[in-house]
Structures are given as structure tokens and as C-alpha cells.
Amino acid sequence: MITESHQNAYARRRAGQRAPAPGRVRDAFRIRPLPLQWFRGIGSAISAGIPVLIGALTGHMDYGLCASIGGFTFLYVSNETYRQRAIKLLLVALGMAVSFGLGSLTGTIPWLMVLLFGLIGAAAVFCFGAFQVAGPSAMFFILTFAVGTSLPYDLSFVPLRTGFVFLGGVLAWIVGMAGWLMSPHRPETKAVAGAYASLAQFMDSIGTEHQYDAQHKAVVALQNAGKTVSGGELRWRHTYEPTRRLMQLSQKANEIYLTLVEIALGHKGTGESGGSEALRSIAAGIQSQDQMKSLNAGKSSWNGEESLSGRLNHQIEEAFSMLTGSGEGAAKATLAEPDNRLRLILTGAFNRHSTLLSTACRYGIMIAASAAVAYGLGLHRSYWVPLSCAAVMLGTTAIGTMHRALQRTAGTIIGLLAGGALLSLKPEGIYVALAMAVLQFIVELIYLRNYALAVIFITPSTLLIAESSQPETALSYFMSARIIDILVGSAIGLLGILLLWRRASSSRLPGAMASVLRKEGALLGQILAGGLPAEERVRPADLETELLRVRLLYDAALAESVRRREKVSLRWPAVAEMQHFGYVLISAAERGLEHREPPETLRILEQAFDEMANAVQRSESPAPIHVPELPSFSALRYELIELHASLQIGESTAPLKIEMES
């Protein structure tokens, strides 16, 4: 039954939801309030400084510099499990060594160098995107290849130099894995704790303008927790208690989320603080039980359905019991059989709604073009141009690339002055190693806060390597050439974003939204039909993947063009309602809720979703539809009407007035 409280809740939800803020040019110099990256700073300083120090002490500075390039492997450390990190860093170290070796072998063949610049860039971007690996993507593979091309050509030294690059990568592997000795499950613990913290934020946001955004962030955090825990030791140590408990907590977090979705479906206002505080206490306790407050079970009250409130409190109590190892909450968790991961990765990478392939091609084409321009003009140490282009194009969208260009140009000019002052002191030997370690420490400490600040310290480090490897070249020449290289490389990167697949995200957004609508229609039909044969069932996980893809496409489309931003933002109500409706269906399907509606009702709903999907794919407003009564799931009827209203393009998004049902 749809009550007046339901209608008022929907009215507030539709009228008050806030769309994501689009990026602005001035954001390029905004310092983000993120924690300082102490581990990354210390680790990168060791990985970059120790090889140079060893080279200086043994009288082979050139070999030390080669090994320090392999030390950039450490920069690919992220929040994955140590099992995943061990594999990833080893592959990155091998990739760095291969890139360096190819650069050393092709240093005298300009056309082949240009081709390999593009191929290495495109392949790295595609692989990092397909496997969803966080980090600097292709940047340091391009850098390693470029340095290899710049060294004096001597075939007999190629294996030795390449070996030192790989040894530097091995050192970075050791540094990156050092945390395993002190806290072997820290990444999994952090991911699961983050999931509970995101649930608390979602719970607080119910009935406010931030509800949709908090809901999306909660889904992302839950997916990350599930992938992180399942990617750890639990795959091959099924009875290992620490990861088993984290898996239990991750599964319970998903159950709590589904209950919160049901509460959000008809809740009149925001929740009491008791439930969200309990979730935050669990999040703190996962990381350190010393920080965990005692759980006030049963004191969280909601104005919604009492059964939902009771279920939520019971689930929170179970999570608390799992954490403390007491009571019924510590029951066994089921471990789902892993899917064919390679198949899923390739399916996602080559999905027609994915921009990964076009992004990788654009990256490779423009890196190759910038290298061709640089070598064609005969610029000294021409590889700085494709390096600048590679750094700028990591922005991926027009606004992001503009940010990168501004940040790199401003940071480089200031960094050149700092680098000139440093090199005027003529550091040698261990002082070079110390300077590189300090600079790399500062770069990684502040990199995530603002790229322009990091470039100020990246530039002196780069000049230090160049000056140390070719001391006969005048410093003033390095500095002036560097400015020209930055301007040329940045201009080519911006040109590539404006010319190649400039609307890759916005052009795919209508098709992706239509695909979501069709999956939602199929899942709704499955629920209202009382279930389907296993081979015909729609997997809720597939719909969740589509919902996340649509949100990523929307965010990317919003940043593609300043002029088209207003047009793209008109789709926000539809994207937000589709996400909410989809998560409601996922909640019902995951809980095994099955309703019985007559075949005629199912046929009408199927036709309605088909008409809405076709209209969205054509970027048109859907025609009026008839939404039949749904006695077995009455609240969902109002949700469907709200979804249809949100798809109207260029019209008021105020909630429809619907005749009340009894």
C-alpha cells in the first residue's frame, strides 16, 4: 500500500537530490584535504635512493641510475592484498625491464621508437584499465622506454643495464611487501572497515539531498571490500580465521546495505544516530578493537516499518558478534565459487558501453604522434615531449587534461628554478642519492593532494638524473629545452583529447542507460513472476555492474566539455533514479523475495521498460506509459512511475501527483 508518508518521502527525494559537482578549471590548483601518504613517501625514497647510493659507493653511478628507474615499480603499490601486490609488482618490474630493453635496442631507429612509444602506451593503459589496477598507469613504462632510447647505443651493455632495471624493481618489490611482516591483512581490514563506514554515511543520508551519492559510494565500497577479501589468502586458505572473519563481515555488510535500501524505499526522514554510530564503531573495531565502543543494541529507532528496524538492529548485532568472536554472529560464512576472472575482465573491457578501448587507442596514437613531432623537429633529448604528453593525457577528459597541462606547466617552471639552485651546488656521489631520495619522498607525500605541487619536486629529480648521466651538457640548456618540451607535449596531449573520441563517454551514455533499463525490466519481471528457471535468471550482480558503469560514464561525460556540461547534467535525475530503482530490485532479488502477478501485468511492464529503453537510447523523452497495479509489491509501482518521470528530457523533474491507493 502506498501511503501519504511514502508519497511525501518520494517528493522530498526527487526535489532535493544534489547532482555531482562538475570539475572547473580553477580546481587544477585546489589542494585536496587528503591524508599525507607516509608509507608511499618512505617506500619510494628507499626504492629510488638506495640504488643510486650503491652505485655511487661502488663507482658505477650509471648502473645505480638504471636500477633507480626500476625502483619506480614501488609507485604502483595501492590498497590491494599482499597476495595481489606480490603478483602485480613482479609483473610491473618485468614490464619496466622489457620497456627499458626495447628502448635500448631501438635507440637508433626513429620510426621504430615512435611506433613502440605508441604501442607501449596503449597496451599499458588497456591492461591497467581492464584489470582495474590503481596507479600511474602507463606513465612510468613510457619513462623507462624513453630513458632506454637516450643512452649511448651499445648492444653488449643492453642485457646488463636491463638487468639492473629489473633488480631495482626487485628492491621496490621487497619494500612494497615489507608491511606484510607487521600487518599481513591490513589491506583487507582497511577495505572492510571502509565498507562499514560507508554504510554509516548512507544511513545518515537517507531522506537527504545526499542520499543517492552516499548510496553509490556505499556500493563501490562494498564491491571493493568483497574483491579485496576474496583476492587475499582466503582463496587458498579456506579455514584461515583472520580472513574468514573478514569475509563474514563483508557478507554481513552487504546484508545491512540491502536492509538500508528497503528502509530508504519508504522512509520519511533521516535515521537516528544510534545505528550509524554502531556501524562506525564496528568500522573502528575492525581496524583496532581498542577503538571499538560497546554496542547499544536495539536502541536505534526508525519511523519506518518496525520489521525493517528490527532486522537492521539484528544484523548490526550479528556483525558485532562476528567481530568479537562471540554469539551466533560468528557462524560460518559461505564462500562463493570464484567466476572465470579472465572472462569477466575481457567481457568488461570489450563491452560496447566501455570507453577503455578508445581511451587506450587515443593514448597510444597521441604518444606516438608527439614522439614523431619531437624526433622530426630534431629536438635534443626528444623523449621529453612524449613524456609530457603521456603525463598530460592521464587526465582522460578535456577538463582533466586541461588540469594536467596547467599543473605540469606551472609546476615545471617553478621546479626548474628549484632544480637550477640544487644543481648549482654540483652534488656528487652520495649527495645525488640523498637528494633523489628526499625529492621522491616529498613527491609521493603530496602527489594525491595536488599534482602541480608534486611536479615542482619531480622536475629537480629529473634534472638530477639528466645532469648526472650527461654532466658535459650545460644546465641552462637542460632547463630551456625542458620548458619547450613541456609546452609542445602538453599542446599535443590537449589536441588529442579535442580531436580523438572527444565524446566517447557522452555518446555511450544513452546506450548504457538503455541497457540498464532493460536489465531492470528483466529483473523486475523475474521477481514478479515468482522466479524463473536458472538458465533464464538475471543475475543481480550483472545489474550492479551496469549501474556502476553508467555512473562512471555520467561522471566522465560531465567533464568532457565545458560547453556540453549543462546538457549532460540534464540526465542526472534519470541516472540517479535508475540507480535507486536498480538497487531496490537488487535488494529484493538478493533476499529471495518473489511475488506473483498475472501474465498480463508482466507483459505490460515488459512493454513499458522496452519503450523507456528505446526512448532513452534515442535521447528522447519516453511516451506516457500505463503502470498497472502491483498488489504483491505496491511500493514498487510508485518507484516505477518516478523512474519514468525522471526520463523526461528538458522538462520539470518535480514528482508526479499520483492518486492515492488504499
Side-chain angles (χ1 to χ4, degrees):
M1 181 178 70
I2 299 178
T3 64
E4 185 175 358
S5 66
H6 281 93
Q7 188 172 20
N8 292 337
Y10 295 134
R12 282 193 298 271
R13 190 185 77 207
R14 285 290 308 279
Q17 287 304 314
R18 179 180 296 178
R24 297 163 296 182
V25 174
R26 66 173 178 267
D27 289 340
F29 300 104
R30 181 174 61 88
I31 298 178
R32 292 181 287 274
L34 298 173
L36 296 175
Q37 306 293 306
W38 293 104
F39 174 71
R40 291 183 63 84
I42 295 171
S44 66
I46 294 173
S47 301
I50 293 297
V52 180
L53 177 62
I54 295 175
L57 294 176
T58 57
H60 293 284
M61 180 65 81
D62 53 341
Y63 295 155
L65 290 171
C66 286
S68 71
I69 293 170
F72 288 134
T73 297
F74 180 83
L75 303 183
Y76 290 85
V77 168
S78 55
N79 291 325
E80 67 279 306
T81 67
Y82 282 108
R83 172 183 175 274
Q84 294 167 324
R85 183 179 299 179
I87 297 171
K88 180 179 77 172
L89 293 186
L90 179 60
L91 292 176
V92 169
L94 286 171
M96 292 270 201
V98 170
S99 297
F100 183 87
L102 290 174
S104 300
L105 290 172
T106 60
T108 59
I109 313 173
W111 69 267
L112 188 54
M113 278 193 295
V114 168
L115 179 63
L116 286 175
F117 263 119
L119 289 176
I120 290 173
V125 167
F126 183 83
C127 290
F128 278 96
F131 287 89
Q132 299 179 359
V133 176
S137 189
M139 180 63 199
F140 288 96
F141 288 85
I142 296 291
L143 171 63
T144 305
F145 176 78
V147 172
T149 65
S150 70
L151 296 178
Y153 183 78
D154 190 335
L155 193 59
S156 62
F157 280 98
V158 170
L160 183 61
R161 291 170 177 166
T162 302
F164 276 112
V165 171
F166 180 69
L167 286 177
V170 171
L171 173 63
W173 186 94
I174 294 172
V175 175
M177 294 296 295
W180 180 84
L181 297 173
M182 297 175 288
S183 181
H185 308 294
R186 184 176 182 277
E188 299 100 309
T189 300
K190 185 177 179 181
V192 177
Y196 277 87
S198 71
L199 287 176
Q201 292 175 350
F202 176 36
M203 191 172 182
D204 285 337
S205 74
I206 293 176
T208 73
E209 62 184 7
H210 303 290
Q211 178 181 321
Y212 286 157
D213 197 46
Q215 186 176 27
H216 171 71
K217 290 177 179 177
V219 173
V220 173
L222 289 168
Q223 275 207 342
N224 178 56
K227 289 179 181 177
T228 303
V229 175
S230 64
E233 293 182 2
L234 195 60
R235 280 182 177 242
W236 52 279
R237 295 178 71 179
H238 288 190
T239 60
Y240 190 52
E241 182 56 31
T243 46
R244 172 65 66 177
R245 180 176 299 173
L246 289 173
M247 175 60 82
Q248 293 172 347
L249 287 165
S250 177
Q251 292 176 349
K252 187 56 64 177
N254 279 278
E255 293 177 18
I256 293 172
Y257 168 76
L258 295 177
T259 301
L260 289 176
V261 168
E262 290 188 64
I263 289 173
L265 182 62
H267 188 58
K268 293 195 296 188
T270 58
E272 300 292 335
S273 61
S276 58
E277 285 303 314
L279 290 171
R280 289 190 177 91
S281 176
I282 292 172
I286 290 172
Q287 298 200 72
S288 173
Q289 292 208 11
D290 295 336
Q291 303 178 30
M292 185 171 57
K293 301 176 183 177
S294 61
L295 182 67
N296 294 320
K299 293 186 179 180
S300 170
S301 61
W302 289 82
N303 294 322
E305 297 177 33
E306 191 60 32
S307 61
L308 292 179
S309 174
R311 188 204 309 164
L312 178 66
N313 285 323
H314 181 63
Q315 288 170 339
I316 292 176
E317 290 170 5
E318 286 184 322
F320 189 85
S321 297
M322 289 175 182
L323 183 57
T324 58
S326 62
E328 296 179 0
K332 287 186 177 181
T334 58
L335 181 65
E337 287 297 321
D339 293 314
N340 187 327
R341 178 147 175 79
L342 182 60
R343 180 184 63 81
L344 292 175
I345 288 170
L346 293 177
T347 300
F350 290 103
N351 185 283
R352 68 181 186 280
H353 302 309
S354 172
T355 61
L356 178 58
L357 193 58
S358 61
T359 299
C361 289
R362 178 174 60 198
Y363 196 89
I365 290 170
M366 296 317 299
I367 298 299
S370 63
V373 169
Y375 287 104
L377 294 177
L379 298 177
H380 181 69
R381 299 176 73 80
S382 305
Y383 63 81
W384 289 120
V385 174
L387 273 179
S388 299
C389 182
V392 165
M393 289 194 69
L394 286 179
T396 67
T397 63
I399 295 177
T401 303
M402 190 180 300
H403 283 176
R404 282 275 176 164
L406 291 171
Q407 291 168 336
R408 191 158 181 83
T409 302
T412 298
I413 292 174
I414 299 174
L416 285 172
L417 299 176
L422 175 63
L423 291 177
S424 66
L425 301 176
K426 300 188 181 301
E428 296 181 356
I430 60 173
Y431 296 106
V432 174
L434 181 62
M436 287 189 62
V438 171
L439 290 170
Q440 198 62 34
F441 171 76
I442 297 173
V443 167
E444 288 304 310
L445 199 67
I446 64 175
Y447 182 86
L448 294 179
R449 288 196 164 196
N450 187 273
Y451 180 65
L453 286 177
V455 172
I456 294 175
F457 299 95
I458 291 173
T459 304
S461 180
T462 305
L463 288 173
L464 201 59
I465 294 175
E467 177 75 4
S468 299
S469 60
Q470 292 192 355
E472 71 281 358
T473 306
L475 173 61
S476 59
Y477 186 83
F478 270 128
M479 295 177 67
S480 61
R482 185 86 168 117
I483 293 177
I484 295 173
D485 296 339
I486 288 293
L487 295 177
V488 173
S490 299
I492 294 173
L494 280 171
L495 192 64
I497 290 292
L498 295 175
L499 294 181
L500 299 178
W501 295 287
R502 59 176 300 185
R503 295 175 55 191
S505 297
S506 56
S507 63
R508 287 174 169 81
L509 184 58
M513 292 172 66
S515 178
V516 166
L517 285 170
R518 291 189 176 96
K519 273 195 169 55
E520 288 180 343
L523 186 56
L524 176 60
Q526 177 177 303
I527 294 170
L528 297 181
L532 294 173
E535 62 273 10
E536 300 178 22
R537 284 183 176 269
V538 178
R539 293 177 51 192
D542 292 339
L543 175 57
E544 187 173 80
T545 300
E546 293 283 346
L547 290 169
L548 292 174
R549 181 178 290 120
V550 163
R551 179 58 187 271
L552 290 174
L553 281 173
Y554 174 81
D555 291 342
L558 201 62
E560 276 184 345
S561 170
V562 175
R563 289 186 304 172
R564 292 181 51 82
R565 182 183 294 163
E566 184 175 350
K567 184 176 181 180
V568 173
S569 65
L570 292 176
R571 292 191 177 274
W572 168 247
V575 171
E577 285 293 337
M578 285 168 55
Q579 283 190 297
H580 178 74
F581 188 78
Y583 294 138
V584 169
L585 293 179
I586 290 171
S587 173
E590 291 284 6
R591 290 189 57 233
L593 299 181
E594 294 181 349
H595 306 263
R596 293 286 181 180
E597 295 289 346
E600 179 63 19
T601 298
L602 298 179
R603 187 190 64 78
I604 293 173
L605 290 175
E606 181 181 1
Q607 182 180 354
F609 272 94
D610 191 54
E611 290 175 358
M612 288 191 294
N614 290 335
V616 166
Q617 194 151 16
R618 296 191 302 266
S619 297
E620 300 173 355
S621 297
I625 61 172
H626 168 63
V627 182
E629 301 293 335
L630 301 174
S632 66
F633 207 165
S634 57
L636 207 59
R637 179 176 184 266
Y638 205 106
E639 291 289 334
L640 181 53
I641 294 172
E642 286 291 311
L643 175 62
H644 178 269
S646 72
L647 300 177
Q648 306 300 317
I649 298 176
E651 301 178 19
S652 172
T653 57
L656 299 178
K657 297 296 183 183
I658 298 187
E659 183 178 353
M660 303 303 296
E661 302 172 27
S662 59

